[in-house]
Amino acid sequence: DTAVSQTPKYLVTQMGNDKSIKCEQNLGHDTMYWYKQDSKKFLKIMFSYNNKELIINETVPNRFSPKSPDKAHLNLHINSLELGDSAVYFCASSRTATYEQYFGPGTRLTVT
Amino acid sequence: QKEVEQNSGPLSVPEGAIASLNCTYSDRGSQSFFWYRQYSGKSPELIMFIYSNGDKEDGRFTAQLNKASQYVSLLIRDSQPSDSATYLCAVRLGGAQKLVFGQGTRLTINP
């Protein structure tokens, strides 16, 4: 009965490859988010969807493309991976954009 | 000035004492304030949220909000070694639909 789940938990890949991370929530929330946490543990929002509509799109390279097939799922596709993309990526969800957010377990991406 | 600032620590507190964590924010119109706890290698876990000026208590945790001075704090009473973690302050800035996180304060409770 996991609330927010992500797959995979770990992802090791080479520069130039394309990869995807998937997120699902079973909380009935309308809003989902992608965050990036760098090596200094700073957590920064990348994207947010509300009911499948993109509402937040921070200054992120266009190699990153989110997709929300329905309000319970939010995926992140990354093209042409670079060394600097190595980080932990967290998915989160909230009832609406103004309510408290709950985080998934994270995906540790390592680009070699 | 950063939008949300925390002292990165580390903050070291003896077991059984009160741990006090502080956070300041730049936008006077900010509406909602959150404290997350993050253990090493784990995801942020929501422990408190506060929307109105004053204190909000939940078990050993108390969140304090002072909008006039633009700070929010978290007090942990009767600190336990299991409270050792990084504590993240998050603020929903005025008019924004996103949370902005501070850099986190690393707290260590010494037995």
Side-chain angles (χ1 to χ4, degrees):
Chain A
D1 56 347
T2 306
V4 183
S5 59
Q6 292 179 232
T7 53
K9 194 169 170 60
Y10 300 96
L11 190 50
V12 181
T13 188
Q14 291 184 327
M15 279 195 303
N17 284 347
D18 303 339
K19 290 293 178 187
S20 292
I21 307 171
K22 297 186 181 222
C23 178
E24 176 180 0
Q25 55 93 4
N26 62 5
L27 296 166
H29 289 167
D30 284 347
T31 309
M32 296 184 73
Y33 311 81
W34 279 114
Y35 284 88
K36 179 180 180 181
Q37 189 169 47
D38 60 26
S39 57
K40 294 183 179 176
K41 307 300 183 189
F42 187 61
L43 194 60
K44 194 169 189 319
I45 190 163
M46 301 172 69
F47 302 103
S48 175
Y49 273 77
N50 180 262
N51 262 325
K52 303 192 294 176
E53 180 186 344
L54 183 66
I55 58 171
I56 295 173
N57 186 350
E58 292 292 287
T59 308
V60 176
N62 58 14
R63 298 182 294 104
F64 290 79
S65 52
K67 277 201 174 62
S68 181
D70 55 60
K71 70 176 191 178
H73 295 85
L74 179 62
N75 303 323
L76 183 65
H77 188 75
I78 315 170
N79 288 325
S80 303
L81 278 154
E82 300 177 357
L83 291 176
D85 298 332
S86 295
V88 181
Y89 292 85
F90 287 105
C91 176
S93 73
S94 61
R95 185 153 39 123
T96 70
T98 57
Y99 283 81
E100 57 274 16
Q101 298 179 17
Y102 297 89
F103 283 77
T107 295
R108 182 173 293 276
L109 171 65
T110 304
V111 182
T112 61
Chain B
Q1 184 188 1
K2 290 182 184 172
E3 292 173 303
V4 179
E5 282 203 77
Q6 295 179 254
N7 186 330
S8 59
L11 176 64
S12 191
V13 172
E15 184 175 357
I18 296 176
S20 177
L21 303 157
N22 297 314
C23 173
T24 58
Y25 57 94
S26 60
D27 187 341
R28 193 170 284 279
S30 298
Q31 298 293 319
S32 316
F33 308 86
F34 305 85
W35 283 101
Y36 286 83
R37 177 176 64 198
Q38 187 174 24
Y39 293 114
S40 182
K42 300 294 186 182
S43 59
E45 174 193 6
L46 179 69
I47 52 172
M48 290 286 286
F49 57 89
I50 186 166
Y51 300 144
S52 305
N53 265 335
D55 294 3
K56 179 181 178 183
E57 190 174 312
D58 183 2
R60 295 187 297 111
F61 298 99
T62 299
Q64 299 177 316
L65 175 60
N66 184 323
K67 287 188 177 181
S69 300
Q70 293 174 238
Y71 80 78
V72 55
S73 60
L74 179 70
L75 302 178
I76 307 174
R77 287 182 301 281
D78 187 25
S79 297
Q80 304 296 310
S82 59
D83 295 325
S84 298
T86 296
Y87 288 80
L88 302 168
C89 171
V91 177
R92 188 169 70 84
L93 303 179
Q97 291 179 305
K98 66 178 185 180
L99 290 188
V100 178
F101 283 79
Q103 69 269 42
T105 298
R106 191 155 55 92
L107 173 67
T108 300
I109 307 299
N110 299 309

